[in-house]
């Protein structure tokens, strides 16, 4: 998205002729505005103040705060997942409608209102993720081992709220996708904790950081395994259903048509991206050399370009790995179905 916006601006400066933006250009502009507003607002938030307010609370209060934030995170994720398609639809209609007509005025105001709604929702979601990351960081560095207590209480409360209820197959499918999005959010929180340790930790900290991170991931994976085992048992869902969920996700990765698939993995990365940019900016600022302003701008541009190239390369690499794994798994499922049909 940033590369497409840069190419659009370069083409506009080169031709010096304003061309009516297309649907993709309007959508990119809307997403860029959402992310820029989120980063600007998060830059005004004093992380240390929120950190010390949360760290001074008792363990039971940390548990309540983290659970509330987790609930609001899921609500915001679902809400933004509905708002963004509205914004993209408005961009499509605005790009297609004839100029200087009443319909164009309507779609301009519709696009602006959808844009404002998406910006506000994304800012709220970004703030919730930031506070959630600060809460996890406060538990990790606390002197009274608040992290195990938080993980145990939070995850067993999750088991209690899920396993004794009836769920359909579609509900379980949505739950699997929600758990995968939650893992990604936890990875963003871990990146926040790493940035805070780089900036403020004293003495050897990397060993304890790795052990705490492994503890978080092991708890999350273990509780998810237990939760889905009981859900499958009480709702008479065969274990092969989870293989079919993965097959649908692999086909979605390969952009293949799936028959009867009602659920798609909808992940909106704008709010986590705002949090990651907010927490990584001080790390870059702390490592800038003390030079005149011109040279500092040079180093900022250089670090930004290197980071962008590294992230783009990582994105391409992960995409290639996912495509290869998805193709292998879909072929494996097809061979298994053919074998069962032959039997």
């Amino acid at each position: 998205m940033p590369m497409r916006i840069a190419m659009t601006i370069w083409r506009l400066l080169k031709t010096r002729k304003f061309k009516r933006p297309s649907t993709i250009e309007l959508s990119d502009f809307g997403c860029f505005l959402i992310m820029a507003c989120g980063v600007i607002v998060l830059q005004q938030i004093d992380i240390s103040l929120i950190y010390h307010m949360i760290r001074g609370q008792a363990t039971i209060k940390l548990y309540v705060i983290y659970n509330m934030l987790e609930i609001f995170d899921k609500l915001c994720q679902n809400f933004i997942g509905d708002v963004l398609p509205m914004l993209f639809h408005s961009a499509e209609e605005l790009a297609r409608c004839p100029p200087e007509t009443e319909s164009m005025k309507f779609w301009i105001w519709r696009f602006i209102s959808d844009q404002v709604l998406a910006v506000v929702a994304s800012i709220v979601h970004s703030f919730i993720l930031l506070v959630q990351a600060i809460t996890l960081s406060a538990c990790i560095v606390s002197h009274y081992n608040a992290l195990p207590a938080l993980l145990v209480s939070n995850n067993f409360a999750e088991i209690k709220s899920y396993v004794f209820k009836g769920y359909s197959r579609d509900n379980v499918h949505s739950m699997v996708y929600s758990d995968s999005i939650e893992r990604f959010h936890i990875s963003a929180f871990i990146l926040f904790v790493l940035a805070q340790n780089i900036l403020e930790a004293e003495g050897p900290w990397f060993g304890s950081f790795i052990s705490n991170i492994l503890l978080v991931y092991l708890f999350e994976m273990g509780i998810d395994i237990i939760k889905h085992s009981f859900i499958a048992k009480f709702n008479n869902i065969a274990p092969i259903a989870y293989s079919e969920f993965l097959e649908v996700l692999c086909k979605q990765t390969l952009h293949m048509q799936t028959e009867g698939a009602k659920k798609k993995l909808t992940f909106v990365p704008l709010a986590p991206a705002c949090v990651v940019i907010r927490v990584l900016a001080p790390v870059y600022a702390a490592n800038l050399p003390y030079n005149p302003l011109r040279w500092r701008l040079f180093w900022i541009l250089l670090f930004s370009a290197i980071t962008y190239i590294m992230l783009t390369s990582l994105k391409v690499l992960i995409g290639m790995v996912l495509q290869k794994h998805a193709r292998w798994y879909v072929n494996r499922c097809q061979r298994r179905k053919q074998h069962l049909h032959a039997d």
Side-chain angles (χ1 to χ4, degrees), residues 1-15:
M1 183 263 290
M3 181 61 69
R4 290 196 299 266
I5 290 179
M7 292 174 62
T8 302
I9 295 175
W10 172 255
R11 186 169 60 249
L12 180 63
L13 294 175
K14 186 178 180 180
T15 59

Side-chain angles (χ1 to χ4, degrees), residues 17-70:
K17 293 181 180 179
F18 179 77
K19 182 182 177 182
R20 188 176 180 181
S22 63
T23 303
I24 296 178
E25 291 171 347
L26 285 173
S27 301
D28 287 340
F29 171 77
C31 291
F32 181 78
L33 187 61
I34 291 171
M35 195 168 65
C37 292
V39 173
I40 291 172
V41 172
L42 291 186
Q43 289 288 348
Q44 310 305 317
I45 296 175
D46 190 353
I47 291 180
S48 60
L49 176 62
I50 300 177
Y51 173 80
H52 288 292
M53 288 175 59
I54 293 176
R55 191 177 180 183
Q57 307 299 321
T59 305
I60 186 65
K61 290 185 178 179
L62 290 178
Y63 160 69
V64 174
I65 291 172
Y66 197 83
N67 272 271
M68 289 177 56
L69 293 171
E70 203 168 44

Side-chain angles (χ1 to χ4, degrees), residues 171-183 228 244-250 252 261-267:
N171 295 137
V172 177
H173 198 170
S174 299
M175 197 182 304
V176 170
Y177 285 172
S178 177
D179 289 339
S180 63
I181 294 174
E182 183 183 0
R183 301 271 179 88
H228 284 282
E244 295 173 358
F245 297 160
L246 180 57
E247 183 184 1
V248 172
L249 185 59
C250 290
Q252 181 182 346
K262 301 178 182 179
K263 301 297 179 182
K264 287 189 176 182
L265 178 59
T266 304
F267 172 62

Side-chain angles (χ1 to χ4, degrees), residues 59-322:
T59 305
I60 186 65
K61 290 185 178 179
L62 290 178
Y63 160 69
V64 174
I65 291 172
Y66 197 83
N67 272 271
M68 289 177 56
L69 293 171
E70 203 168 44
I71 292 171
F72 281 115
D73 171 29
K74 293 179 180 179
L75 292 176
C76 289
Q77 182 75 25
N78 291 327
F79 181 71
I80 296 176
D82 294 331
V83 170
L84 279 183
M86 291 170 50
L87 178 64
F88 297 154
H89 175 69
S90 300
E92 182 181 1
E93 293 296 332
L94 181 58
R96 289 193 311 180
C97 68
E100 299 180 359
T101 58
E102 290 295 327
S103 62
M104 185 174 187
K105 294 179 181 179
F106 169 78
W107 285 111
I108 288 175
W109 284 108
R110 173 71 181 272
F111 179 76
I112 293 174
S113 60
D114 289 343
Q115 181 71 62
V116 172
L117 182 61
V119 167
V120 174
S122 183
I123 289 174
V124 173
H125 192 199
S126 302
F127 178 74
I128 290 172
L129 291 179
L130 181 64
V131 178
Q132 200 171 357
I134 295 172
T135 306
L136 184 62
S137 176
C139 293
I140 288 177
V141 301
S142 64
H143 299 291
Y144 48 90
N145 292 328
L147 180 63
L150 176 70
L151 293 175
V152 170
S153 57
N154 182 53
N155 286 301
F156 275 96
E158 183 179 0
I159 289 180
K160 180 183 176 182
S161 63
Y162 278 112
V163 297
F164 299 114
K165 296 180 181 179
Y167 292 99
S168 66
R169 185 187 175 94
D170 289 339
N171 295 137
V172 177
H173 198 170
S174 299
M175 197 182 304
V176 170
Y177 285 172
S178 177
D179 289 339
S180 63
I181 294 174
E182 183 183 0
R183 301 271 179 88
F184 190 87
H185 285 178
I186 290 174
S187 301
F189 302 157
I190 298 308
L191 190 59
F192 171 85
V193 177
L194 176 62
Q196 292 299 109
N197 283 330
I198 292 175
L199 289 174
E200 301 177 3
E202 298 178 357
W205 56 269
F206 192 71
S208 62
F209 170 77
I210 293 296
S211 61
N212 286 321
I213 297 317
L214 290 176
L215 182 65
V216 171
Y217 277 114
L218 287 175
F219 262 97
E220 290 293 332
M221 293 174 63
I223 293 302
D224 283 343
I225 291 172
I226 296 173
K227 177 181 72 176
H228 284 282
S229 299
F230 278 101
I231 288 174
K233 174 181 173 59
F234 291 141
N235 294 278
N236 297 320
I237 298 176
I240 194 66
Y242 291 90
S243 298
E244 295 173 358
F245 297 160
L246 180 57
E247 183 184 1
V248 172
L249 185 59
C250 290
K251 288 182 178 180
Q252 181 182 346
T253 304
L254 297 173
H255 304 288
M256 297 173 60
Q257 295 293 331
T258 54
E259 297 180 359
K262 301 178 182 179
K263 301 297 179 182
K264 287 189 176 182
L265 178 59
T266 304
F267 172 62
V268 183
L270 297 176
C274 294
V275 175
V276 170
I277 294 173
R278 169 63 180 89
V279 301
L280 288 184
V283 178
Y284 280 84
N287 290 279
L288 284 176
Y290 292 97
N291 288 327
L293 179 60
R294 181 171 56 186
W295 284 104
R296 289 179 66 85
L297 291 175
F298 168 76
W299 285 111
I300 290 174
L301 292 175
L302 181 62
F303 285 164
S304 301
I306 293 174
T307 304
Y308 185 80
I309 292 172
M310 290 175 60
L311 290 177
T312 305
S313 303
L314 182 63
K315 176 182 174 63
V316 172
L317 180 62
I318 292 176
M320 293 171 60
V321 172
L322 287 177

